[in-house]
């Protein structure tokens, strides 16, 4: 069984969705967890209460990941609370779908790239500065970075740039025993844009039709891979991008 005893994990965007599932998984494996939020403090506090009530260790820290100074403070505060950081998951982001290229506005581009690209870049940068030797840095990308999906040019593009950063950083700090990898999920049911079962029905059907397993990803499917990347099992996996998509072609 994997164990993260005596490890400290910081998961951005973990007040809900995939980030919440990953943070809770790490806590269940024995890690002390930093639940990061931007605007949903009450949700972050609920997760902390759930973890601590079960005997785990967790704190909630806020911060806008589009602001470098706030990212820096997030890492400083996390280390002040737990003394170190062993695992960082750069998960915070937003989705944008069903927006054809001809209808993209400048403000659409700026918003999505600021949150998804700039935010992830500088989160990963701070992770490289602060993570302990033999630590783990994990970027949550998107299957739209592998398969082109109509209506997702801006979203897929914003998630692609940090994947290159993953490969570069893996080479720059690999000598410290730190691994840097991307987790690339398919569309996730009951999360994000598919939080409601009747949301985006045409897109849902198209994605389901492309997947030989006939379903979207579950939150736990993604948490399983996040567990692998955080554990000793992945100690020689570095600079890689792992698709969690059931063999889908979209």
């Amino acid at each position: 069984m994997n164990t993260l005893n005596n490890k400290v994990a910081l998961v951005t965007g973990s007040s809900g969705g995939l980030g919440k599932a990953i943070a809770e998984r790490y806590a269940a494996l024995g890690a002390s967890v930093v639940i990061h939020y931007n605007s949903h403090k009450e949700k972050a506090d609920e997760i902390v209460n759930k973890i601590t009530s079960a005997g785990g260790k967790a704190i909630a820290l806020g911060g806008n990941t589009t602001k470098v100074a706030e990212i820096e403070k997030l890492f400083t505060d996390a280390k002040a609370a737990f003394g170190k950081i062993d695992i960082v998951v750069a998960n915070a982001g937003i989705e944008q779908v069903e927006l054809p290229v001809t209808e993209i506005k400048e403000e659409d581009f700026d918003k999505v790239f600021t949150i998804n690209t700039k935010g992830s870049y500088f989160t990963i940068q701070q992770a490289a500065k602060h993570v302990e030797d033999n630590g783990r840095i994990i970027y949550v990308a998107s299957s739209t970075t592998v398969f082109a999906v109509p209506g997702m040019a801006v979203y897929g593009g914003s998630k692609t740039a940090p994947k290159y950063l993953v490969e570069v950083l893996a080479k720059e700090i690999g000598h410290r025993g730190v691994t840097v990898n991307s987790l690339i999920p398919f569309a996730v049911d009951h999360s994000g844009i598919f939080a409601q079962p009747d949301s985006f029905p045409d897109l849902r059907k198209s994605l389901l039709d492309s997947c030989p397993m006939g379903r979207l990803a579950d939150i736990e499917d993604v948490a399983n891979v996040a567990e692998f990347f955080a554990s000793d099992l992945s100690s020689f996996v570095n600079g890689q991008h792992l698709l969690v998509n059931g063999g889908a072609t979209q």
Side-chain angles (χ1 to χ4, degrees), residues 6-244:
N6 303 314
K7 301 295 185 181
V8 176
L10 190 164
V11 184
T12 65
S14 49
S15 63
L18 292 181
K20 174 178 179 290
I22 293 170
E24 290 182 339
R25 176 68 65 86
Y26 289 171
L29 292 168
S32 300
V33 180
V34 177
I35 306 298
H36 163 259
Y37 66 92
N38 181 19
S39 57
H40 297 293
K41 183 180 186 302
E42 69 288 348
K43 292 183 179 180
D45 287 339
E46 288 176 7
I47 299 166
V48 169
N49 290 336
K50 178 181 177 181
I51 291 171
T52 55
S53 294
K57 296 181 180 179
I59 61 169
L61 293 176
N64 184 341
T65 56
T66 69
K67 308 291 186 182
V68 175
E70 295 194 28
I71 298 173
E72 292 173 346
K73 186 176 186 302
L74 171 64
F75 277 79
T76 299
D77 290 349
K79 289 182 73 172
F82 290 123
K84 62 173 184 168
I85 301 173
D86 300 286
I87 303 159
V88 176
V89 182
N91 168 73
I94 60 170
E95 293 176 274
Q96 185 185 70
V97 302
E98 296 187 347
L99 182 65
V101 170
T102 54
E103 297 179 16
I104 296 169
K105 296 180 175 61
E106 183 179 6
E107 53 264 34
D108 298 321
F109 182 95
D110 288 347
K111 179 180 180 180
V112 176
F113 268 77
T114 298
I115 295 172
N116 290 353
T117 308
K118 178 183 176 181
S120 295
Y121 251 73
F122 285 98
T123 297
I124 292 169
Q125 180 198 60
Q126 288 301 306
K129 291 181 178 182
H130 291 285
V131 75
E132 296 289 302
D133 289 352
N134 302 309
R136 303 285 183 264
I137 300 173
I138 303 160
Y139 167 58
V140 179
S142 162
S143 60
T144 58
T145 65
V146 180
F147 303 105
V149 181
M152 296 193 188
V154 171
Y155 174 66
S158 73
K159 300 291 281 187
T160 298
K163 282 178 61 184
Y164 181 71
L165 176 62
V166 162
E167 296 181 29
V168 172
L169 187 59
K171 293 183 176 182
E172 290 184 353
I173 64 174
H175 66 278
R176 293 175 47 206
V178 176
T179 65
V180 190
N181 295 291
S182 292
L183 189 168
I184 309 178
F186 189 47
V188 182
D189 221 351
H190 312 298
S191 179
I193 62 170
F194 292 119
Q196 303 301 321
D198 57 349
S199 57
F200 300 98
D202 293 339
L203 177 59
R204 178 187 288 269
K205 182 180 185 306
S206 174
L207 293 169
L208 287 171
D209 288 345
S210 81
C211 183
M213 297 188 76
R215 66 176 178 86
L216 302 183
D218 289 328
I219 289 176
E220 293 306 311
D221 293 327
V222 181
N224 290 340
V225 178
E227 175 181 337
F228 166 71
F229 275 143
S231 74
D232 289 341
L233 294 175
S234 65
S235 61
F236 204 59
V237 180
N238 196 24
Q240 302 303 306
H241 313 291
L242 181 54
L243 270 168
V244 188

